[in-house]
Amino acid sequence: MGNNPSKKKTKSSSPPSSSPPTTPTTPNTSLQTSSSLNSIEKSRATTLSTASNPPPVSAEKSPEMKPSRAKSLGESQASAASVRKIEELFDKYKDPNDQLIGPEGVNLLCQDLGVDPEDVITLVIAWYMNAQSMGYFKRDEFVGGLQKMGVDSLPKIKSHLPTLRKDLDDQSKFKEIYRFAFFFAKENDQKILDLATSDAMLQLILKPYFPTIIDKFCKFLNIQTSYKSLNLDQWLSLLEFCRTIKEDLSNYDENGAWPVILDEFVEWAKEQ
């Protein structure tokens, strides 16, 4: 895991906790069921119990039930149509000889959405899809992701982009997206993220929010010789570091539960 040298002191693997603000509920696209059938059943039961000579129950279905059944059928058709539209959209961008969208298809999709492939919003979209490999979308990932977003066409995806950007302003969701970025960017059979990829991902997702610290940290990564990669604990700890430590590093406690790489970074930065 990351070719780390021996630690200078015994540390726990968890960084100091920070309390994220209350977060809004993640949008859900589940269907609501009608209560009209229950109301009809209760009304009929009350009538039968109070009438002295109750009429025989007709074998025909009550007319009141028909709108509910029609609504359910309509909802099912709408759901099927939505999935069908997403499938058609996937087929538009997938590789001709494979059942996935590759780098060329992803770039074309971004072009049609008016989004730079290097924009962090592409990472948010991949997070919704729970994509397993950078630059590739499988059919089930694509369909499932767009269903979560509640969109089934290019115009709807474009109109939903501002909502996706707001996810980055939610600290809890941001942490999930940041954690996802580690697994999304690494090689499938690896448990670590090489330094070149780490640098690129940190520039993409953290630098817009913590430019001073990330600039210094990436410079440190590129000149030090002790580390060739970052592991998940180091990756997650860096986010907490950025959130809790001042830009001048004056409140950093070297006896805190931080990974040693951050001790060495602070020591190096203070010497500059």
Side-chain angles (χ1 to χ4, degrees):
M1 296 275 295
N3 298 319
N4 295 347
S6 299
K7 294 192 174 184
K8 298 182 295 185
K9 55 181 181 292
T10 302
K11 296 174 176 284
S12 66
S13 60
S14 303
S17 61
S18 59
S19 301
T22 303
T23 61
T25 305
T26 303
N28 198 322
T29 58
S30 59
L31 299 177
Q32 298 180 345
T33 57
S34 171
S35 60
S36 61
L37 181 57
N38 290 335
S39 299
I40 294 169
E41 296 285 358
K42 290 180 180 179
S43 176
R44 292 181 61 192
T46 302
T47 302
L48 290 174
S49 63
T50 56
S52 57
N53 295 307
V57 178
S58 172
E60 296 182 359
K61 294 180 180 178
S62 171
E64 290 86 347
M65 296 175 66
K66 292 180 181 179
S68 176
R69 295 183 63 204
K71 180 180 179 182
S72 297
L73 180 60
E75 288 174 342
S76 297
Q77 291 174 337
S79 177
S82 177
V83 172
R84 185 162 58 248
K85 288 180 181 179
I86 298 173
E87 293 269 7
E88 291 172 354
L89 194 60
F90 176 87
D91 290 337
K92 176 181 178 180
Y93 295 104
K94 77 177 185 69
D95 289 349
N97 301 319
D98 207 344
Q99 287 301 311
L100 54 76
I101 298 175
E104 290 186 8
V106 171
N107 286 334
L108 180 58
L109 174 60
C110 289
Q111 179 180 326
D112 290 346
L113 291 174
V115 172
D116 188 328
E118 300 297 323
D119 191 323
V120 69
I121 198 67
T122 60
L123 180 64
V124 181
I125 293 173
W127 173 63
Y128 270 92
M129 294 182 183
N130 194 27
Q132 300 301 302
S133 300
M134 185 183 294
Y136 297 88
F137 295 143
K138 298 177 183 177
R139 183 179 293 273
D140 60 336
E141 294 171 348
F142 188 86
V143 173
L146 266 60
Q147 283 184 307
K148 288 179 186 176
M149 288 185 270
V151 297
D152 58 15
S153 67
L154 280 175
K156 289 181 180 179
I157 298 174
K158 291 184 72 171
S159 66
H160 197 65
L161 293 179
T163 300
L164 299 183
R165 291 192 186 279
K166 288 182 180 179
D167 286 339
L168 294 167
D169 296 328
D170 181 288
Q171 286 200 28
S172 180
K173 288 183 180 178
F174 186 93
K175 185 173 182 178
E176 290 182 25
I177 295 168
Y178 178 75
R179 187 180 191 279
F180 165 80
F182 179 88
F183 295 97
F184 183 59
K186 73 178 183 62
E187 295 292 334
N188 290 335
D189 58 342
Q190 298 293 315
K191 295 183 179 180
I192 54 177
L193 201 59
D194 66 81
L195 293 187
T197 305
S198 296
D199 186 308
M201 295 303 291
L202 291 173
Q203 299 285 345
L204 174 68
I205 190 170
L206 284 192
K207 185 175 179 178
Y209 301 93
F210 312 102
T212 301
I213 290 180
I214 293 304
D215 274 343
K216 290 180 180 179
F217 184 77
C218 288
K219 183 177 181 180
F220 165 75
L221 283 184
N222 290 324
I223 66 172
Q224 58 78 40
T225 57
S226 299
Y227 304 89
K228 296 182 180 179
S229 60
L230 295 181
N231 59 38
L232 181 60
D233 177 64
Q234 294 164 338
W235 179 261
L236 295 178
S237 295
L238 181 59
L239 174 60
E240 295 304 314
F241 180 95
C242 291
R243 285 178 169 177
T244 58
I245 303 303
K246 296 178 181 179
E247 288 185 354
D248 63 3
L249 311 178
S250 60
N251 63 330
Y252 182 77
D253 181 5
E254 64 178 12
N255 295 316
W258 297 104
V260 173
I261 189 174
L262 292 178
D263 288 342
E264 296 176 354
F265 161 62
V266 171
E267 182 179 357
W268 169 84
K270 288 183 175 181
E271 293 175 353
Q272 302 308 302

Coordinates of all heavy atoms in Angstrom, one line a residue, residues 143-208:
V143 N -27.2 3.6 -17.6 CA -28.7 3.6 -17.4 C -29.0 3.9 -15.9 O -29.8 4.7 -15.6 CB -29.3 2.2 -17.8 CG1 -30.7 2.1 -17.4 CG2 -29.1 2.0 -19.3
G144 N -28.3 3.2 -15.0 CA -28.6 3.4 -13.6 C -28.3 4.8 -13.1 O -29.0 5.4 -12.3
G145 N -27.2 5.4 -13.6 CA -26.8 6.7 -13.3 C -27.8 7.8 -13.7 O -28.2 8.7 -13.0
L146 N -28.3 7.7 -15.0 CA -29.2 8.6 -15.5 C -30.6 8.5 -14.8 O -31.3 9.5 -14.6 CB -29.4 8.5 -17.0 CG -28.5 9.5 -17.8 CD1 -27.0 9.2 -17.5 CD2 -28.8 9.3 -19.3
Q147 N -30.9 7.2 -14.4 CA -32.2 7.0 -13.6 C -32.1 7.7 -12.3 O -33.0 8.3 -11.8 CB -32.4 5.5 -13.5 CG -33.0 4.9 -14.7 CD -33.3 3.4 -14.4 OE1 -32.5 2.6 -14.0 NE2 -34.6 3.0 -14.7
K148 N -30.9 7.6 -11.6 CA -30.7 8.3 -10.3 C -30.9 9.8 -10.5 O -31.4 10.5 -9.6 CB -29.3 8.0 -9.8 CG -29.2 6.6 -9.2 CD -27.8 6.4 -8.7 CE -27.5 4.9 -8.3 NZ -26.1 4.7 -7.9
M149 N -30.4 10.3 -11.6 CA -30.5 11.8 -11.8 C -31.9 12.2 -12.3 O -32.2 13.3 -12.3 CB -29.4 12.2 -12.9 CG -28.0 12.2 -12.3 SD -26.8 12.8 -13.6 CE -26.4 11.3 -14.4
G150 N -32.7 11.2 -12.7 CA -34.0 11.5 -13.2 C -34.0 12.1 -14.6 O -34.9 12.9 -14.9
V151 N -33.1 11.8 -15.5 CA -33.0 12.3 -16.8 C -32.9 11.2 -17.8 O -32.4 10.1 -17.5 CB -31.8 13.3 -16.9 CG1 -31.9 14.5 -16.0 CG2 -30.5 12.5 -16.6
D152 N -33.4 11.5 -19.0 CA -33.3 10.5 -20.1 C -33.0 11.0 -21.5 O -33.3 10.4 -22.5 CB -34.6 9.7 -20.1 CG -35.9 10.5 -20.4 OD1 -35.7 11.7 -20.8 OD2 -37.0 10.1 -20.1
S153 N -32.5 12.3 -21.5 CA -32.2 12.9 -22.8 C -31.1 13.9 -22.6 O -30.8 14.3 -21.5 CB -33.4 13.5 -23.4 OG -33.8 14.7 -22.6
L154 N -30.4 14.3 -23.7 CA -29.4 15.3 -23.6 C -29.8 16.6 -23.0 O -29.2 17.2 -22.2 CB -28.7 15.5 -25.0 CG -27.7 14.4 -25.4 CD1 -27.3 14.7 -26.8 CD2 -26.5 14.5 -24.5
P155 N -31.0 17.1 -23.5 CA -31.5 18.4 -22.9 C -31.7 18.3 -21.4 O -31.4 19.3 -20.7 CB -32.8 18.7 -23.7 CG -32.6 18.0 -25.0 CD -31.8 16.7 -24.7
K156 N -32.2 17.2 -21.0 CA -32.5 17.0 -19.6 C -31.2 16.9 -18.8 O -31.1 17.4 -17.6 CB -33.4 15.8 -19.3 CG -34.8 16.0 -19.8 CD -35.6 14.7 -19.5 CE -37.1 14.9 -20.0 NZ -37.9 13.7 -19.7
I157 N -30.2 16.3 -19.3 CA -28.9 16.2 -18.6 C -28.3 17.6 -18.5 O -27.8 18.0 -17.4 CB -27.9 15.3 -19.4 CG1 -28.5 13.8 -19.4 CG2 -26.6 15.3 -18.7 CD1 -27.6 12.9 -20.3
K158 N -28.4 18.4 -19.6 CA -27.8 19.7 -19.6 C -28.5 20.6 -18.6 O -27.9 21.3 -17.8 CB -27.9 20.3 -21.0 CG -27.0 19.7 -22.0 CD -27.1 20.4 -23.4 CE -26.4 21.8 -23.3 NZ -26.3 22.4 -24.7
S159 N -29.8 20.5 -18.5 CA -30.6 21.3 -17.5 C -30.3 20.9 -16.1 O -30.5 21.6 -15.1 CB -32.1 21.2 -17.8 OG -32.6 19.9 -17.6
H160 N -29.8 19.6 -15.9 CA -29.5 19.1 -14.6 C -28.1 19.4 -14.1 O -27.8 19.2 -12.9 CB -29.8 17.6 -14.6 CG -29.9 16.9 -13.2 ND1 -31.0 17.2 -12.4 CD2 -29.1 16.1 -12.5 CE1 -30.9 16.6 -11.3 NE2 -29.8 15.8 -11.3
L161 N -27.3 19.9 -15.0 CA -25.9 20.2 -14.6 C -25.7 21.1 -13.4 O -24.9 20.9 -12.5 CB -25.1 20.7 -15.8 CG -24.9 19.7 -17.0 CD1 -24.1 20.3 -18.1 CD2 -24.1 18.4 -16.5
P162 N -26.5 22.2 -13.3 CA -26.4 23.1 -12.2 C -26.7 22.3 -10.8 O -26.0 22.6 -9.8 CB -27.4 24.2 -12.4 CG -27.5 24.2 -13.9 CD -27.4 22.8 -14.3
T163 N -27.6 21.4 -10.9 CA -27.9 20.6 -9.7 C -26.7 19.7 -9.3 O -26.4 19.6 -8.1 CB -29.2 19.8 -9.9 OG1 -30.3 20.6 -10.2 CG2 -29.5 19.0 -8.7
L164 N -26.1 19.2 -10.3 CA -24.9 18.3 -10.0 C -23.8 19.1 -9.4 O -23.1 18.7 -8.5 CB -24.4 17.7 -11.3 CG -25.4 16.7 -12.0 CD1 -24.8 16.1 -13.2 CD2 -26.0 15.6 -11.1
R165 N -23.6 20.4 -9.9 CA -22.6 21.2 -9.3 C -22.9 21.6 -7.8 O -21.9 21.7 -7.0 CB -22.4 22.5 -10.1 CG -21.9 22.3 -11.5 CD -21.5 23.6 -12.2 NE -21.0 23.3 -13.6 CZ -19.9 22.9 -13.9 NH1 -18.9 22.6 -13.0 NH2 -19.6 22.7 -15.2
K166 N -24.1 21.7 -7.5 CA -24.5 22.0 -6.1 C -24.1 20.8 -5.2 O -23.9 21.0 -4.0 CB -26.0 22.3 -6.0 CG -26.4 23.6 -6.6 CD -27.9 23.8 -6.4 CE -28.3 25.2 -7.0 NZ -29.7 25.4 -6.9
D167 N -24.0 19.6 -5.7 CA -23.6 18.5 -4.9 C -22.2 18.7 -4.3 O -21.9 18.2 -3.3 CB -23.6 17.2 -5.7 CG -25.0 16.7 -6.0 OD1 -25.9 17.0 -5.2 OD2 -25.2 15.9 -7.0
L168 N -21.4 19.4 -5.1 CA -20.0 19.7 -4.6 C -20.0 20.7 -3.5 O -19.0 20.8 -2.8 CB -19.2 20.2 -5.8 CG -18.9 19.3 -6.9 CD1 -18.4 20.0 -8.1 CD2 -18.0 18.1 -6.5
D169 N -21.1 21.4 -3.3 CA -21.1 22.4 -2.1 C -21.6 21.7 -0.9 O -21.6 22.3 0.2 CB -22.1 23.5 -2.5 CG -21.6 24.3 -3.7 OD1 -20.3 24.4 -3.8 OD2 -22.4 24.9 -4.4
D170 N -22.1 20.5 -1.0 CA -22.5 19.7 0.2 C -21.3 18.9 0.8 O -20.7 18.1 0.1 CB -23.6 18.8 -0.2 CG -24.2 18.0 1.0 OD1 -23.4 17.1 1.4 OD2 -25.3 18.3 1.5
Q171 N -20.9 19.2 2.0 CA -19.6 18.6 2.5 C -19.7 17.1 2.5 O -18.7 16.4 2.2 CB -19.3 19.1 3.9 CG -18.8 20.6 3.9 CD -18.1 20.9 5.2 OE1 -17.5 20.0 5.8 NE2 -18.1 22.2 5.5
S172 N -20.9 16.5 2.9 CA -21.0 15.1 2.9 C -20.9 14.4 1.6 O -20.2 13.5 1.4 CB -22.3 14.7 3.6 OG -22.5 13.3 3.7
K173 N -21.6 15.0 0.6 CA -21.5 14.5 -0.8 C -20.1 14.7 -1.4 O -19.6 13.8 -2.1 CB -22.6 15.2 -1.6 CG -24.0 14.7 -1.3 CD -25.0 15.4 -2.3 CE -26.4 15.0 -2.0 NZ -27.4 15.6 -2.9
F174 N -19.5 15.9 -1.1 CA -18.2 16.1 -1.6 C -17.2 15.1 -1.1 O -16.4 14.6 -1.9 CB -17.7 17.5 -1.1 CG -16.4 17.9 -1.7 CD1 -16.4 18.7 -2.9 CD2 -15.2 17.6 -1.1 CE1 -15.2 19.1 -3.4 CE2 -14.0 18.0 -1.7 CZ -14.0 18.7 -2.9
K175 N -17.3 14.7 0.2 CA -16.5 13.6 0.7 C -16.7 12.3 0.0 O -15.7 11.6 -0.3 CB -16.7 13.5 2.2 CG -15.7 12.5 2.8 CD -15.8 12.5 4.3 CE -14.8 11.5 5.0 NZ -14.8 11.5 6.5
E176 N -17.9 12.0 -0.3 CA -18.2 10.8 -1.0 C -17.6 10.8 -2.5 O -17.1 9.8 -2.9 CB -19.8 10.5 -1.1 CG -20.4 10.2 0.2 CD -21.9 10.0 0.0 OE1 -22.3 9.6 -1.1 OE2 -22.6 10.1 1.0
I177 N -17.8 11.9 -3.1 CA -17.3 12.1 -4.5 C -15.7 12.0 -4.5 O -15.1 11.4 -5.3 CB -17.8 13.4 -5.1 CG1 -19.3 13.4 -5.3 CG2 -17.1 13.7 -6.4 CD1 -19.9 14.7 -5.6
Y178 N -15.1 12.7 -3.5 CA -13.7 12.6 -3.3 C -13.2 11.2 -3.1 O -12.2 10.8 -3.7 CB -13.3 13.6 -2.2 CG -11.8 13.6 -1.9 CD1 -10.9 14.3 -2.7 CD2 -11.3 13.0 -0.8 CE1 -9.6 14.3 -2.5 CE2 -9.9 13.0 -0.5 CZ -9.0 13.7 -1.4 OH -7.7 13.7 -1.1
R179 N -13.9 10.5 -2.2 CA -13.5 9.1 -2.0 C -13.7 8.3 -3.3 O -12.8 7.4 -3.6 CB -14.4 8.5 -0.9 CG -13.9 7.1 -0.4 CD -14.8 6.6 0.7 NE -14.3 5.4 1.3 CZ -14.4 4.2 0.9 NH1 -15.1 4.0 -0.3 NH2 -13.9 3.1 1.5
F180 N -14.8 8.5 -4.0 CA -15.0 7.8 -5.2 C -13.9 8.0 -6.2 O -13.5 7.1 -6.9 CB -16.4 8.2 -5.8 CG -16.6 7.8 -7.2 CD1 -17.0 6.6 -7.6 CD2 -16.4 8.8 -8.3 CE1 -17.1 6.2 -8.9 CE2 -16.5 8.4 -9.6 CZ -16.9 7.1 -9.9
A181 N -13.4 9.3 -6.2 CA -12.4 9.6 -7.2 C -11.1 8.7 -7.1 O -10.5 8.4 -8.1 CB -12.0 11.1 -7.0
F182 N -10.8 8.3 -5.8 CA -9.6 7.5 -5.6 C -9.8 6.1 -6.4 O -8.9 5.7 -7.1 CB -9.5 7.2 -4.1 CG -8.3 6.3 -3.8 CD1 -7.0 6.9 -3.6 CD2 -8.4 4.9 -3.6 CE1 -5.9 6.0 -3.3 CE2 -7.4 4.1 -3.3 CZ -6.1 4.7 -3.1
F183 N -10.9 5.5 -6.2 CA -11.2 4.2 -6.8 C -11.4 4.3 -8.3 O -11.0 3.5 -9.1 CB -12.4 3.5 -6.2 CG -12.2 3.2 -4.7 CD1 -12.6 4.0 -3.7 CD2 -11.5 2.0 -4.4 CE1 -12.4 3.7 -2.4 CE2 -11.3 1.7 -3.0 CZ -11.7 2.5 -2.0
F184 N -12.0 5.4 -8.7 CA -12.3 5.7 -10.1 C -11.0 5.9 -10.9 O -10.9 5.4 -12.1 CB -13.2 6.9 -10.2 CG -13.6 7.3 -11.6 CD1 -14.3 6.4 -12.4 CD2 -13.3 8.5 -12.2 CE1 -14.7 6.7 -13.7 CE2 -13.7 8.9 -13.4 CZ -14.4 8.0 -14.2
A185 N -10.0 6.5 -10.3 CA -8.8 6.9 -11.0 C -7.7 5.8 -11.0 O -6.9 5.7 -11.8 CB -8.2 8.2 -10.5
K186 N -7.7 4.9 -10.0 CA -6.7 3.9 -9.8 C -6.9 2.8 -10.8 O -7.9 2.6 -11.4 CB -6.6 3.4 -8.4 CG -7.8 2.4 -8.1 CD -7.6 1.9 -6.7 CE -8.7 0.9 -6.4 NZ -8.7 -0.3 -7.2
E187 N -5.8 2.1 -11.0 CA -5.8 0.9 -11.9 C -6.7 -0.2 -11.2 O -6.7 -0.3 -9.9 CB -4.5 0.3 -12.1 CG -3.5 1.2 -12.9 CD -4.0 1.4 -14.4 OE1 -4.7 0.5 -14.9 OE2 -3.7 2.4 -15.0
N188 N -7.4 -1.0 -11.9 CA -8.4 -1.9 -11.3 C -7.8 -2.9 -10.3 O -8.4 -3.2 -9.3 CB -9.1 -2.7 -12.4 CG -10.1 -1.8 -13.2 OD1 -10.5 -0.8 -12.8 ND2 -10.3 -2.2 -14.5
D189 N -6.6 -3.3 -10.6 CA -6.0 -4.3 -9.7 C -5.1 -3.7 -8.6 O -4.4 -4.5 -7.9 CB -5.2 -5.3 -10.5 CG -4.1 -4.7 -11.4 OD1 -4.2 -3.4 -11.5 OD2 -3.2 -5.4 -11.8
Q190 N -5.1 -2.4 -8.5 CA -4.3 -1.8 -7.5 C -5.1 -1.3 -6.3 O -6.3 -1.0 -6.4 CB -3.5 -0.6 -8.2 CG -2.6 -1.0 -9.3 CD -1.4 -1.8 -8.8 OE1 -0.8 -1.5 -7.8 NE2 -1.1 -2.9 -9.5
K191 N -4.4 -1.1 -5.2 CA -5.0 -0.5 -4.0 C -4.4 0.9 -3.7 O -4.7 1.5 -2.7 CB -4.8 -1.4 -2.8 CG -5.5 -2.8 -2.9 CD -5.3 -3.6 -1.7 CE -6.1 -4.9 -1.8 NZ -5.9 -5.8 -0.6
I192 N -3.6 1.4 -4.6 CA -2.9 2.6 -4.4 C -3.1 3.5 -5.7 O -3.5 3.0 -6.8 CB -1.4 2.4 -4.2 CG1 -0.8 1.6 -5.3 CG2 -1.2 1.8 -2.8 CD1 0.7 1.4 -5.2
L193 N -2.8 4.8 -5.5 CA -2.9 5.7 -6.7 C -1.5 6.3 -6.9 O -0.9 6.9 -6.0 CB -3.9 6.8 -6.3 CG -4.5 7.7 -7.4 CD1 -5.3 6.8 -8.3 CD2 -5.5 8.7 -6.8
D194 N -1.0 6.1 -8.1 CA 0.3 6.6 -8.4 C 0.4 8.1 -8.3 O -0.7 8.8 -8.4 CB 0.8 6.1 -9.8 CG 0.0 6.8 -10.9 OD1 0.2 7.9 -11.3 OD2 -1.0 6.1 -11.4
L195 N 1.6 8.7 -8.1 CA 1.7 10.1 -7.8 C 1.2 11.0 -9.0 O 0.7 12.1 -8.8 CB 3.1 10.4 -7.5 CG 3.6 9.8 -6.1 CD1 5.0 10.4 -5.8 CD2 2.7 10.1 -5.0
A196 N 1.5 10.6 -10.2 CA 1.1 11.4 -11.4 C -0.4 11.5 -11.4 O -1.0 12.6 -11.6 CB 1.6 10.8 -12.6
T197 N -1.1 10.4 -11.2 CA -2.6 10.4 -11.2 C -3.1 11.2 -10.0 O -4.1 11.9 -10.1 CB -3.1 9.0 -11.2 OG1 -2.6 8.3 -12.3 CG2 -4.7 9.0 -11.3
S198 N -2.5 11.0 -8.8 CA -2.9 11.7 -7.6 C -2.8 13.2 -7.8 O -3.7 13.9 -7.5 CB -2.0 11.3 -6.5 OG -2.1 9.9 -6.1
D199 N -1.7 13.6 -8.4 CA -1.5 15.1 -8.7 C -2.6 15.6 -9.6 O -3.3 16.6 -9.3 CB -0.2 15.3 -9.4 CG 0.2 16.7 -9.6 OD1 -0.7 17.5 -10.1 OD2 1.3 17.2 -9.2
A200 N -3.0 14.9 -10.7 CA -4.0 15.3 -11.6 C -5.4 15.4 -10.9 O -6.1 16.3 -11.1 CB -4.0 14.4 -12.8
M201 N -5.7 14.4 -10.1 CA -7.0 14.3 -9.5 C -7.1 15.4 -8.4 O -8.2 16.0 -8.2 CB -7.2 12.9 -8.9 CG -7.4 11.8 -9.9 SD -8.7 12.1 -11.2 CE -10.1 12.0 -10.2
L202 N -6.0 15.6 -7.7 CA -6.0 16.7 -6.6 C -6.2 18.1 -7.3 O -6.9 18.9 -6.7 CB -4.8 16.7 -5.8 CG -4.6 15.4 -4.9 CD1 -3.2 15.4 -4.3 CD2 -5.7 15.4 -3.8
Q203 N -5.6 18.3 -8.4 CA -5.8 19.5 -9.1 C -7.2 19.7 -9.6 O -7.7 20.8 -9.6 CB -4.8 19.6 -10.4 CG -3.4 19.5 -10.1 CD -2.8 20.8 -9.5 OE1 -3.4 21.8 -9.6 NE2 -1.6 20.7 -9.0
L204 N -7.8 18.6 -10.0 CA -9.2 18.6 -10.5 C -10.2 18.9 -9.4 O -11.1 19.8 -9.5 CB -9.5 17.3 -11.2 CG -11.0 17.1 -11.6 CD1 -11.3 18.1 -12.8 CD2 -11.2 15.7 -12.0
I205 N -10.1 18.2 -8.3 CA -11.2 18.2 -7.3 C -10.9 19.0 -6.0 O -11.8 19.6 -5.5 CB -11.6 16.7 -6.9 CG1 -12.9 16.7 -6.0 CG2 -10.4 16.1 -6.1 CD1 -13.4 15.3 -5.8
L206 N -9.7 19.1 -5.6 CA -9.4 19.9 -4.3 C -8.8 21.3 -4.6 O -9.1 22.2 -3.8 CB -8.4 19.1 -3.5 CG -8.9 17.9 -2.7 CD1 -7.9 17.4 -1.7 CD2 -10.3 18.2 -2.0
K207 N -8.1 21.5 -5.6 CA -7.4 22.8 -5.8 C -8.4 23.9 -5.9 O -8.2 25.0 -5.4 CB -6.5 22.8 -7.0 CG -5.8 24.1 -7.2 CD -4.8 24.0 -8.4 CE -4.1 25.4 -8.5 NZ -3.0 25.3 -9.6
P208 N -9.6 23.7 -6.6 CA -10.6 24.8 -6.6 C -11.0 25.3 -5.3 O -11.4 26.5 -5.1 CB -11.7 24.3 -7.5 CG -11.1 23.2 -8.3 CD -10.1 22.6 -7.4

